[in-house]
Amino acid sequence: MSDRNPLTMSDIAKLAQVSESTVSRGLRNDPLVNEKTREKVQKIAREHNYQINESARNLRLRKSHTIAVVMLLDTESGQAISDPFLLGLLGNVADELSKVGYDLLLSTPLAQGDELTPNYLESKRADGMILIGEGDHGKNINSLAGSRKPFVVWGAYQPGQNYCTVGSDNKKGAYMAVKHLIDTGHRRIAFFGNSIYPEIEQRLEGYRQALTEAGLDLDEDLLITTAFSSRGGYAKTRDELLGKKQSFDAIFTVSDAIAMGAIKQLKEKNIRVPEDVAVSGYDDIPISAFCTPALTTIRQNTEEAGRHLVKCLMDQLAGKKAKSIILDTELIIRQSSGGQPDP
């Protein structure tokens, strides 16, 4: 091909002996095209210095091939985008979007009132949205669902919701962690979290269930409202437990970050973990296995979460109905609870 007659997608299709749609998908690494065909199409394109005119293609298809990932984090929760669990989840979403030929547009708007998300879809800057940080915005998200825009939420499934969620089995996860603390001999177990958020409310239900099954009374003084941060865990351990001289022998926290803050405060007061007080976290962020003592926690599978979030959104973009998914959780026993550590 000469410079005056550059290679077209139709030319590549003839050379590769496939359809133009297969060429288009192959150049975008679409997994619907088998690897051998993708390599063949891409090799021909490289040999002829072919480049996709993204602007023209997107205008023709009326698609941006971009997905907006909107982090709905409010100041009251204390959770930030730098939270290791959120970063891990975001990374897996990015990997999955790349596999299906989509770019990621990250946004962290102030989630106030009815305006939860910027006007990405109407402006054609994004073809769909993944919302992370459902918080207490379920009512507003239900309103967004009424617009029939394609989106999926990382969060807790709630009866009556009109939108698709992917989330972990929060109740089961908390139940397993608290039951483990009870099975290792603990009876006065504090709960650290903020149950105004649906995911945390479900974890509180699991906490209550474990106590009830063990015949233990729930002490309201041991329900500690805590922000999603190490600073929150540190301060609440100091002020609400030690400062008020509460009787407790274990702490269950709704995030590993909170647990690490609690452990730091206990150590500063010469309270041994787990000999004097056992601690369990939630999330199994990478550092949990390497802190001292290594943290017992509940593992949420962020790889599987990323895969399902993207799959649910792609289904909607293809005109299919996406069903909500509840992922299983796993108890990871380490030194902080007094159980047997991982090998």
Side-chain angles (χ1 to χ4, degrees):
M1 297 290 174
S2 68
D3 291 339
R4 293 185 178 181
N5 297 288
L7 195 73
T8 66
M9 193 172 291
S10 177
D11 295 326
I12 296 177
K14 290 176 183 177
L15 291 171
Q17 296 183 317
V18 296
S19 67
E20 286 189 44
S21 62
T22 298
V23 171
S24 177
R25 292 191 180 100
L27 292 174
R28 291 190 284 110
N29 286 314
D30 192 319
L32 293 176
V33 179
N34 68 63
E35 185 178 357
K36 184 177 180 180
T37 302
R38 290 202 307 267
E39 291 177 352
K40 183 179 182 180
V41 166
Q42 291 174 10
K43 183 173 184 290
I44 293 171
R46 285 195 303 272
E47 288 174 348
H48 294 84
N49 296 317
Y50 177 82
Q51 293 184 341
I52 299 174
N53 185 330
E54 294 286 352
S55 297
R57 179 172 68 92
N58 291 341
L59 182 62
R60 182 177 68 256
L61 299 176
R62 302 188 70 184
K63 290 184 177 180
S64 67
H65 281 282
T66 298
I67 297 300
V69 178
V70 184
M71 312 291 283
L72 298 177
L73 306 177
D74 57 54
T75 54
E76 185 178 348
S77 74
Q79 196 169 30
I81 194 173
S82 58
D83 182 297
F85 174 76
L86 292 181
L87 288 177
L89 179 59
L90 182 61
N92 283 295
V93 167
D95 289 343
E96 293 299 320
L97 286 174
S98 179
K99 290 177 185 178
V100 293
Y102 276 80
D103 294 327
L104 182 153
L105 173 64
L106 179 63
S107 174
T108 56
L110 292 176
Q112 296 179 353
D114 295 329
E115 294 298 323
L116 291 178
T117 62
N119 198 16
Y120 291 125
L121 304 185
E122 286 78 1
S123 65
K124 306 300 181 185
R125 292 174 62 198
D127 299 330
M129 293 188 300
I130 296 174
L131 308 182
I132 297 177
E134 180 185 26
D136 61 346
H137 304 295
K139 183 178 179 181
N140 291 334
I141 296 175
N142 254 341
S143 298
L144 181 62
S147 69
R148 299 190 179 279
K149 302 297 183 183
F151 73 93
V152 61
V153 178
W154 167 259
Y157 177 81
Q158 302 175 75
Q161 70 182 37
N162 297 323
Y163 53 91
C164 176
T165 54
V166 175
S168 292
D169 192 334
N170 294 289
K171 182 176 179 179
K172 179 183 176 183
Y175 170 82
M176 289 190 297
V178 178
K179 185 178 186 301
H180 167 67
L181 293 173
I182 293 169
D183 289 345
T184 50
H186 303 92
R187 295 294 179 268
R188 299 280 298 169
I189 304 169
F191 175 94
F192 276 33
N194 191 339
S195 60
I196 68 167
Y197 303 110
E199 288 177 290
I200 309 310
E201 182 181 22
Q202 292 177 359
R203 293 175 198 178
L204 179 58
E205 289 176 8
Y207 166 88
R208 291 177 185 270
Q209 180 183 347
L211 293 183
T212 299
E213 288 185 4
L216 299 176
D217 293 331
L218 186 148
D219 186 342
E220 297 286 343
D221 290 336
L222 294 182
L223 301 182
I224 312 298
T225 300
T226 316
F228 278 91
S229 67
S230 294
R231 188 182 300 275
Y234 179 90
K236 292 294 184 172
T237 302
R238 179 193 63 207
D239 300 337
E240 300 297 324
L241 291 182
L242 301 178
K244 294 183 178 180
K245 301 188 185 302
Q246 299 288 357
S247 171
F248 68 102
D249 57 13
I251 301 173
F252 166 67
T253 72
V254 300
S255 82
D256 290 346
I258 296 172
M260 291 177 191
I263 289 173
K264 177 176 172 58
Q265 173 61 204
L266 292 170
K267 283 184 174 182
E268 288 182 3
K269 295 298 188 292
N270 296 316
I271 298 172
R272 299 171 301 168
V273 177
E275 292 85 356
D276 301 323
V277 174
V279 178
S280 173
Y282 203 107
D283 289 337
D284 193 33
I285 60 177
I287 198 174
S288 297
F290 300 98
C291 59
T292 303
L295 187 62
T296 289
T297 186
I298 296 296
R299 177 175 294 163
Q300 299 194 85
N301 191 330
T302 56
E303 289 185 15
E304 195 173 356
R307 184 162 56 250
H308 283 293
L309 283 165
V310 172
K311 173 65 165 55
C312 286
L313 187 56
M314 292 300 109
D315 283 348
Q316 291 181 53
L317 291 174
K320 302 176 184 177
K321 183 175 178 61
K323 295 182 179 180
S324 293
I325 295 171
I326 299 176
L327 304 174
D328 204 4
T329 49
E330 181 183 359
L331 173 65
I332 306 299
I333 299 174
R334 300 192 180 105
Q335 292 95 332
S336 71
S337 64
Q340 293 297 317
D342 281 351

